[in-house]
Amino acid sequence: MHLTALSGGIGGARFLRGLLTHLDDDTRRSGRRHALTTIVNTADDMWMFGLRVCPDLDTVMYTLGGGIDDDRGWGRADESWQAKAELAAYGVEPSWFGLGDRDLATHIVRTQMLGAGYPLSAVTAALADRWRPPYDTEVRLLPMSDDRAETHVVVDDESSPAGRRAVHFQEYWVRMRAAVPAREVVVVGQAEATPAPGVLDAIASADVLLVPPSNPVVSVGTILGVPGVQAAIAGAAAPVVGLSPVIGGRPVRGMADAVLAAVGVDATADAVAAHYGARSAGGLLDGWLVDSSDKSSVDVVEAAGVVCRSVPLLMTDVPAAAAMAAEALDLAREVGR
Ligand code: GDP
Ligand code: CA
């Protein structure tokens, strides 16, 4: 099987690690080999202290490659923060964004290679060469685009003439902790962006398309917003199955409800499914998994034309994420017939 997934950071990475674990079991049982292409959101990317930082790519790369700090969910294991302290001693801003010492090496290599003229997709492949995931399944990481397309969030600001201003997504998420309402989400540069090499092909040639429990707006939404991606999915032969990042009316980790509100979507499993839409009606999904505690959403989702099942969706550990992946592949088989 060739599987293709659209991923953000933590939610996507943890699901994909479960998926690879499940696929290893399958390979051991059946002898079948699989390949996974992950198309990763790059709209969180930013320049920080002169370095190009790609948070979601790095979270997926470190998680699948065994280098992640699992408690924090991002950054390197066994990290130290000497450089951060030194920058603070110089009074350099932004002080709200921490880059760990080990992690810095990744950004330095990336920035050097970008400076030498390599596109982000080539840089990503070079970095990932160090972090080869220890699974039977072959894994490929692709940025959604080699072009710069960055999410900004419009917030109220009484001191500006328009009464509002746009801040980079990282500033909204990390410095402001999404504590003020997001009035609008704008992905600057997206209309001119093109899919990175391999992206459209990975969608067209997939046997299964997966939408992990990533943020529907600022992770999956930004990938879908790259011109050409949505049309490629609409035309793909593979079934599309997604998993809800919302359980019991709340995002499982983090503050996704803030950006869902900005696009007028309730933080419920069925509202997120409706936001993605049924593939049969020009939307994204053939199948959708909601958590066992959201059984009442199943009928609502199915009435909108998406086949829906309720199963445990909490990624408490790798086996739990692997079980979710198994359920997603079962549903893909069912809707793909
Ligand atoms: P980010 O880029 O690091 O924010 O990561 P993603 O966009 O890939 O994923 C963030 C989303 O993952 C959040 O909206 C959470 O609701 C969701 N999430 C995190 N942990 C879990 C979990 O255990 N189960 C489910 N269903 N969703 C989760
Ligand atoms: Ca992210």
Side-chain angles (χ1 to χ4, degrees):
M1 260 191 307
H2 175 209
L3 303 101
T4 296
L6 312 182
S7 179
I10 297 178
R14 290 192 171 167
F15 172 75
L16 294 171
R17 186 171 56 181
L19 175 66
L20 289 166
T21 304
H22 167 71
L23 292 174
D24 267 11
D25 285 346
D26 183 74
T27 300
R28 228 169 289 130
R29 271 197 309 265
S30 69
R32 289 181 300 184
R33 298 295 296 261
H34 308 292
L36 170 66
T37 303
T38 304
I39 300 167
V40 183
N41 171 49
T42 53
D44 293 10
D45 296 8
M46 88 222 99
W47 288 97
M48 197 58 75
F49 311 113
L51 299 173
R52 190 66 180 160
V53 178
C54 302
D56 289 0
L57 275 171
D58 290 347
T59 296
V60 175
M61 181 173 79
Y62 294 154
T63 301
L64 302 187
I68 196 80
D69 181 310
D70 234 330
D71 295 329
R72 211 171 39 233
W74 56 271
R76 293 277 283 106
D78 303 318
E79 188 57 284
S80 58
W81 304 89
Q82 309 270 13
K84 184 182 187 210
E86 291 295 316
L87 287 165
Y90 283 114
V92 177
E93 291 293 333
S95 53
W96 47 266
F97 199 86
L99 295 177
D101 300 331
R102 290 179 185 274
D103 193 31
L104 268 173
T106 302
H107 311 308
I108 290 169
V109 175
R110 174 184 294 124
T111 305
Q112 261 186 334
M113 287 188 71
L114 289 171
Y118 291 97
L120 181 62
S121 49
V123 176
T124 301
L127 291 169
D129 200 42
R130 172 183 168 200
W131 294 105
R132 290 206 200 135
Y135 304 94
D136 297 326
T137 296
E138 182 194 323
V139 182
R140 195 164 55 127
L141 282 192
L142 298 177
M144 66 187 200
S145 176
D146 280 334
D147 303 319
R148 192 171 170 180
E150 288 179 18
T151 302
H152 286 65
V153 176
V154 178
V155 297
D156 293 337
D157 179 9
E158 279 167 15
S159 68
S160 90
R164 292 183 170 188
R165 76 190 161 107
V167 297
H168 191 287
F169 173 71
Q170 293 296 346
E171 183 172 357
Y172 180 70
W173 211 244
V174 181
R175 184 176 77 80
M176 304 168 87
R177 305 218 45 85
V180 300
R183 299 301 181 194
E184 209 182 323
V185 175
V186 182
V187 186
V188 179
Q190 192 170 44
E192 297 78 41
T194 56
V199 165
L200 297 182
D201 199 48
I203 293 169
S205 66
D207 298 307
V208 178
L209 287 163
L210 292 169
V211 183
S214 286
N215 189 306
V217 182
V218 294
S219 293
V220 179
T222 46
I223 302 173
L224 294 173
V226 176
V229 168
Q230 228 152 0
I233 294 175
V240 182
V241 169
L243 299 92
S244 178
V246 171
I247 295 181
R250 283 197 303 160
V252 180
R253 272 174 80 103
M255 313 153 291
D257 40 346
V259 284
L260 281 168
V263 297
V265 177
D266 288 340
T268 64
D270 49 275
V272 173
H275 172 65
Y276 283 142
R279 199 145 169 232
S280 54
L284 176 70
L285 300 171
D286 295 303
W288 184 241
L289 292 178
V290 301
D291 185 64
S292 312
S293 65
D294 287 321
K295 276 200 177 66
S296 59
S297 287
V298 172
D299 287 347
V300 185
V301 174
E302 295 216 317
V306 177
V307 180
C308 185
R309 301 282 175 266
S310 65
V311 299
L313 285 191
L314 267 182
M315 298 188 281
T316 41
D317 52 20
V318 176
M324 285 164 55
E327 294 285 357
L329 294 182
D330 279 350
L331 185 55
R333 262 187 297 277
E334 189 183 333
V335 299
R337 270 193 214 121

